[in-house]
Amino acid sequence: MNGNVIDGKAVAAKIREETAAKVAELKAKYGKVPGLAVVIVGERKDSQTYVRMKKKACEEVGIASFGADLPESATQAEVLAVVAAFNANPDVHGILVQLPLPKHIDEQAVLGAISVEKDVDGFHPLNIGRLAMKGREPLFTPCTPLGCMVLLERCGIPIKGRRAVVVGRSNIVGMPAALLLNKRDATVTVVHSATPKAEAEAICRQADIIIAAAGQAQLVRGSWVKPGAAIIDVGTNPIDDKTKASGYRLVGDAHFDECKAVAGAITPVPGGVGPMTIAILLRNTAESGERFLTGAVKVSGAEKKQERKGLAKLLPTREQLASPLPVLAAAVGVAAGAVLQRATAGRR
Amino acid sequence: MNGNVIDGKAVAAKIREETAAKVAELKAKYGKVPGLAVVIVGERKDSQTYVRMKKKACEEVGIASFGADLPESATQAEVLAVVAAFNANPDVHGILVQLPLPKHIDEQAVLGAISVEKDVDGFHPLNIGRLAMKGREPLFTPCTPLGCMVLLERCGIPIKGRRAVVVGRSNIVGMPAALLLNKRDATVTVVHSATPKAEAEAICRQADIIIAAAGQAQLVRGSWVKPGAAIIDVGTNPIDDKTKASGYRLVGDAHFDECKAVAGAITPVPGGVGPMTIAILLRNTAESGERFLTGAVKVSGAEKKQERKGLAKLLPTREQLASPLPVLAAAVGVAAGAVLQRATAGRR
């Protein structure tokens, strides 16, 4: 912390360091490293940037990175075939499909096809279900919400028995953040687009912890904050700023200056939650690699069989995987622009 | 409603009537009726009573009921084999395992083995995950929480944009009730054992809807209730009552007389939520039967394959199923006390 500002970069650097140590340990013990496959479809500049950042981050901690770049015109069958190949690839322990996908691709079908054992994003309904359930643990917890929790914990902010408010209920941040906070014994309220704004403000003012994940620039004002509360700001919204060469700057879902004046702790944007997302992705991948390498995948017997045996039928054989590209091309007619690449070193 | 008391029996009777009509329609159209299998392990008197009630209720609406009674000494393999047989039986569209199971049986493994397409209790993590996720729908919603929602809806109590508090966070009531209320756009807070009691009271006093599902007799007092609020009381707790021949009576998680004086609407115990649970179980089973009979099971392609193909490997073949008992006995050595029975008519 710098004053009451939480240094997300520093916490993320620590997580990456711990992850690098874990990867080195696995390499020494098993002669193998965890592997992450990132699937991207289409040419969105922001998605390309995120994927590049993820691959670079993998290299830095020693995780093998695998990639599939599919053109905007890729069919759903092509995307599913790529996922199936990574499901079956024993060197891949985590699979991430960069969202959003082009409109003609069924996102649910693609995410649902990722083996739950390699779902490092934690978005599979089986993982979300386990996250919601008492006495169950998901194999993976979504990276951004888990990053929020790790920030709270590493900054010594108590959670158990405290009032927490999650602003926003997206599948990738708000909803799993609420489930996580509840699992750690906070008393959680979720406010959202159907909550009258005055009520959202009143509820936030009762909270010891606010997770702002509404995707609205500076929604949470100073007047919303109880003195001493912790604010974890997940938003990154561009707003006009003529003092910048780009003409804009990024702000969070909380009004930083106003909230900082009242809060006990607050994450900045950028440099707060952002760096945590990738750090947790790396940690999730390393944990997955460890589970596979030690043979200790923690899925209940029956569910695991449902998953495993189900996938076995969808997948190419191990021999086919020795040369993935021709097989995929033959199986689904992958377009010429689609490139399956292995990139442990060097940039894409 | 009688005054401000919600008549759960009347609403449940209406749901059963609608379900009976649906069953008759399916029978006329397809020559088949929906089927529910209830698995019970051990000799618990209360469980035996619940199972008997469920079977009787099935008969009344025309649903075929199937049963497996396993002795307390049954092994996990035996229980799983029974579930597998019902998974594979095309006349069974819903499978319910009566809880609690004996201690030596792994409840998660047994519940996880039920085909998600026949999980009429809605407890499978895939169904819970879909319930939590925006844009997804579970195949089945847990009966008691859904019963609470139906009571609210049929009594014309608005949910969208209202403050709701769920007291308790069990996997079978509190947690799914919170997810359901959120899905219907209430602003939901979950209070639980780690919430300071004074705070639980203060939060409840802000609520338009209170779902009391803590399993604590008369926890919610009149002072907890905002004038006009709706209280859905899921508790059924025995307390001493010397005026009764039995020496006890059942009370809810809300103090009925105190709360009734303040609330706009309240469910009694008994006669409130209780009758709804079985009514919704019947409705879930009829919906499942309809899905199977019309061939319209709404699972996403990839997930369905994971489920279906996984199960196919676990299950006896269709020929084996023609005579289930010898196969099961051969496969897992079912104890002599285990009886697989079909009981469309007559009591067990």
Side-chain angles (χ1 to χ4, degrees):
Chain A
M1 307 249 292
N2 304 321
N4 65 344
V5 179
I6 295 172
D7 186 347
K9 278 188 205 165
V11 179
K14 188 86 181 60
I15 303 277
R16 287 184 187 220
E17 202 179 283
E18 292 162 10
T19 302
K22 167 68 69 190
V23 170
E25 187 193 315
L26 291 171
K27 192 171 181 182
K29 219 164 169 177
Y30 301 96
K32 286 189 165 191
V33 295
L36 175 68
V38 182
V39 178
I40 182 167
V41 184
E43 336 287 337
R44 282 177 66 115
K45 283 271 174 300
D46 55 347
S47 292
Q48 299 277 357
T49 304
Y50 291 136
V51 168
R52 210 158 40 235
M53 283 167 66
K54 286 167 186 172
K55 291 192 171 175
K56 185 161 167 284
C58 281
E59 289 161 27
E60 284 170 11
V61 298
I63 289 175
S65 82
F66 297 74
D69 282 316
L70 293 160
E72 186 79 23
S73 61
T75 66
Q76 176 141 333
E78 286 167 355
V79 179
L80 288 173
V82 164
V83 169
F86 286 135
N87 277 340
N89 186 337
D91 294 328
V92 170
H93 309 106
I95 301 169
L96 181 153
V97 174
Q98 185 66 41
L99 300 180
L101 289 167
K103 285 216 174 73
H104 65 281
I105 309 276
D106 179 349
E107 185 181 302
Q108 289 191 18
V110 172
L111 294 181
I114 296 173
S115 165
V116 70
E117 295 168 358
K118 298 186 176 184
D119 174 39
V120 282
D121 257 341
F123 294 156
H124 194 290
L126 260 180
N127 277 323
I128 295 292
R130 292 207 194 103
L131 182 62
M133 294 170 92
K134 207 188 288 191
R136 301 257 188 142
E137 290 298 333
L139 281 169
F140 303 99
T141 303
C143 302
T144 302
L146 183 52
C148 296
M149 302 302 291
V150 172
L151 281 179
L152 291 170
E153 286 164 354
R154 300 253 169 148
C155 294
I157 295 162
I159 300 170
K160 183 173 179 170
R162 303 304 165 110
R163 288 290 298 276
V165 174
V166 179
V167 184
R169 52 175 170 171
S170 67
N171 284 342
I172 58 175
V173 185
M175 178 270 288
L179 297 177
L180 265 173
L181 285 163
N182 177 70
K183 208 155 200 157
R184 302 203 185 172
D185 288 330
T187 301
V188 185
T189 306
V190 179
V191 307
H192 48 73
S193 52
T195 309
K197 203 160 174 181
E199 192 155 72
E201 175 172 353
I203 294 169
C204 281
R205 209 158 37 223
Q206 297 171 4
D208 304 299
I209 297 164
I210 296 174
I211 300 205
Q216 281 185 50
Q218 302 178 319
L219 173 69
V220 176
R221 309 297 300 252
S223 63
W224 292 36
V225 179
K226 180 164 94 172
I231 302 174
I232 306 294
D233 190 346
V234 182
T236 40
N237 312 286
I239 60 167
D240 290 342
D241 185 343
K242 285 178 183 148
T243 69
K244 304 278 174 184
S246 60
Y248 75 92
R249 67 189 164 101
L250 293 177
V251 299
D253 288 354
H255 190 294
F256 185 75
D257 292 334
E258 286 183 14
C259 291
K260 179 177 181 295
V262 190
I266 184 169
T267 59
V269 175
V273 173
M276 290 300 292
T277 299
I278 288 188
I280 299 291
L281 173 67
L282 300 174
R283 194 173 84 169
N284 278 357
T285 304
E287 282 176 5
S288 181
E290 185 175 24
R291 271 190 220 122
F292 274 96
L293 293 173
T294 60
V297 182
K298 291 175 228 147
V299 199
S300 85
E303 281 172 12
K304 194 169 157 184
K305 274 183 201 148
Q306 291 196 24
E307 285 285 329
R308 278 263 176 86
K309 302 209 172 171
L311 286 169
K313 294 236 174 172
L314 294 173
L315 297 179
T317 62
R318 192 162 290 211
E319 298 80 70
Q320 287 173 319
L321 283 170
S323 54
L325 261 181
V327 170
L328 282 177
V332 296
V334 168
V339 180
L340 267 180
Q341 55 184 12
R342 187 172 201 280
T344 29
R347 62 183 198 79
R348 346 190 303 273
Chain B
M1 307 249 295
N2 303 322
N4 65 344
V5 179
I6 295 171
D7 187 347
K9 279 187 205 165
V11 179
K14 188 85 181 63
I15 303 279
R16 285 182 189 224
E17 203 178 283
E18 293 163 10
T19 302
K22 168 66 70 191
V23 170
E25 187 193 316
L26 292 171
K27 194 173 180 179
K29 217 163 172 177
Y30 300 98
K32 286 190 166 192
V33 295
L36 175 69
V38 181
V39 178
I40 182 167
V41 185
E43 335 288 337
R44 282 178 66 118
K45 282 272 174 298
D46 55 345
S47 292
Q48 300 276 355
T49 304
Y50 291 138
V51 168
R52 209 157 42 234
M53 284 167 65
K54 286 168 187 173
K55 290 190 172 174
K56 187 162 165 285
C58 280
E59 288 161 29
E60 284 169 12
V61 298
I63 290 176
S65 82
F66 297 74
D69 281 318
L70 293 159
E72 185 79 22
S73 61
T75 65
Q76 175 140 333
E78 286 166 357
V79 179
L80 288 173
V82 164
V83 169
F86 286 135
N87 277 340
N89 186 336
D91 294 327
V92 170
H93 309 108
I95 301 169
L96 181 153
V97 174
Q98 185 67 40
L99 301 180
L101 288 168
K103 286 219 171 72
H104 65 282
I105 309 275
D106 179 349
E107 184 181 303
Q108 289 191 19
V110 172
L111 294 181
I114 296 173
S115 165
V116 70
E117 293 168 359
K118 299 188 177 184
D119 174 40
V120 282
D121 257 341
F123 295 157
H124 193 292
L126 261 180
N127 277 321
I128 295 290
R130 291 206 195 104
L131 182 62
M133 295 169 89
K134 207 187 288 188
R136 301 258 189 140
E137 289 299 331
L139 281 169
F140 303 99
T141 303
C143 302
T144 302
L146 183 52
C148 297
M149 303 301 292
V150 172
L151 282 179
L152 291 169
E153 286 164 356
R154 301 254 169 147
C155 294
I157 295 162
I159 299 171
K160 182 172 179 171
R162 303 304 164 108
R163 288 290 297 276
V165 174
V166 179
V167 185
R169 53 175 169 171
S170 68
N171 285 343
I172 60 176
V173 185
M175 177 269 289
L179 297 178
L180 266 172
L181 285 162
N182 177 69
K183 208 155 201 157
R184 301 201 187 173
D185 288 332
T187 301
V188 185
T189 306
V190 179
V191 307
H192 48 72
S193 53
T195 309
K197 203 160 172 180
E199 192 155 72
E201 175 173 351
I203 294 169
C204 281
R205 209 159 36 226
Q206 297 171 5
D208 303 299
I209 297 165
I210 296 175
I211 299 207
Q216 282 184 52
Q218 303 176 319
L219 173 68
V220 176
R221 307 300 299 255
S223 62
W224 292 36
V225 180
K226 179 164 95 172
I231 302 175
I232 305 294
D233 191 347
V234 182
T236 41
N237 313 285
I239 60 166
D240 290 342
D241 185 343
K242 285 176 184 146
T243 70
K244 303 278 175 184
S246 61
Y248 75 92
R249 66 187 165 104
L250 293 177
V251 299
D253 287 355
H255 191 295
F256 185 75
D257 292 334
E258 285 183 14
C259 291
K260 180 178 178 298
V262 191
I266 183 169
T267 59
V269 175
V273 173
M276 291 299 293
T277 300
I278 288 188
I280 299 291
L281 173 66
L282 300 174
R283 194 173 85 171
N284 278 358
T285 304
E287 283 177 4
S288 182
E290 186 175 24
R291 268 190 221 124
F292 274 96
L293 293 173
T294 60
V297 182
K298 290 176 226 145
V299 200
S300 83
E303 279 171 14
K304 194 169 157 184
K305 274 184 203 148
Q306 291 197 24
E307 285 285 330
R308 279 264 176 85
K309 302 210 173 173
L311 287 169
K313 293 238 175 172
L314 294 173
L315 298 180
T317 62
R318 195 162 288 212
E319 298 82 65
Q320 288 172 321
L321 282 171
S323 54
L325 261 183
V327 169
L328 281 177
V332 296
V334 167
V339 179
L340 268 182
Q341 56 183 12
R342 188 171 200 277
T344 29
R347 59 177 200 84
R348 339 195 305 273

